[in-house]
Amino acid sequence: MGAVIVIDLRRLSQAPMEVEGEIASDDSLWSEAGVELIEPLAVEAIAEGSPTRGVWVRGSMSGHVRTSCRRCLQPLELPITEDFELLFDPKTSEGEGDLTLYGFDPKAEELDLRAPLSERFLLVVPGFSVCREDCPGLCGHCGASLSQGGCGCGAPEPDPRWGPLQALKRET
């Protein structure tokens, strides 16, 4: 796989083009993303079109991210695979597009896919991951991991502000 994902627009005008490459895990695109990529993001796609009519790119991307469980804070490695479709329109300005429509200069000779693909990848990375669905998390009192056998602090004292409601519950 190549290290850069670029479409040669001169070649694309003649025939559809296979695009295969990767975005390095240490690429500057990931620096402020809040996601740690474990390995390069692998991309396979087909590009069709021309610089004057527009370019349509469809394919798939896959990678692994490192995160932590939102309940017990244990480290996790998640595989992420996503199919995508991108449309590059020469009549659309850079900031005018949406999640699938991007602008580009019709006089350009190359189209760099790194930024749109990293944007799409970040949208599918779960914001809150759990190590397992029944993860009990951490003790709210002492912070011990309840998935590793619990804690020794016992049940916390109830908040005295709930006293009147507990009295109502006992009456019913």
Side-chain angles (χ1 to χ4, degrees):
M1 279 196 189
V4 180
I5 304 169
V6 175
I7 296 173
D8 183 346
L9 293 172
R10 295 167 297 196
R11 266 189 44 207
L12 184 64
S13 295
Q14 300 164 4
M17 191 176 148
E18 287 188 24
V19 180
E20 195 172 313
E22 57 189 31
I23 301 175
S25 57
D26 61 352
D27 192 295
S28 62
L29 290 167
W30 310 116
S31 63
E32 294 183 24
V35 170
E36 182 184 354
L37 216 60
I38 298 171
E39 61 188 24
L41 178 65
V43 178
E44 292 181 5
I46 299 288
E48 300 178 63
S50 73
T52 55
R53 293 185 327 226
V55 177
W56 182 40
V57 182
R58 65 186 186 286
S60 65
M61 59 183 148
S62 61
H64 282 78
V65 295
R66 183 172 291 128
T67 187
S68 59
C69 175
R70 74 178 286 186
R71 295 180 188 160
C72 69
L73 304 179
Q74 293 296 314
L76 292 174
E77 291 184 5
L78 299 175
I80 308 288
T81 302
E82 179 72 3
D83 292 333
F84 64 87
E85 289 187 22
L86 304 171
L87 179 61
F88 295 88
D89 184 4
K91 299 173 200 88
T92 302
S93 65
E94 269 306 309
E96 191 180 324
D98 59 19
L99 294 178
T100 58
L101 180 64
Y102 296 89
F104 76 99
D105 182 1
K107 295 177 186 147
E109 294 180 356
E110 294 182 331
L111 188 58
D112 187 354
L113 299 178
R114 290 176 329 120
L117 288 174
S118 64
E119 181 180 287
R120 292 295 299 267
F121 183 75
L122 292 173
L123 288 172
V124 297
V125 173
F128 299 106
S129 305
V130 291
C131 59
R132 61 182 204 265
E133 284 303 314
D134 63 341
C135 176
L138 302 175
C139 172
H141 191 272
C142 70
S145 176
L146 298 175
S147 62
Q148 296 177 355
C151 65
C153 72
E157 292 290 322
D159 189 328
R161 294 174 288 182
W162 293 109
L165 288 177
Q166 288 176 341
L168 285 174
K169 184 177 178 183
R170 280 185 236 131
E171 288 177 11
T172 58

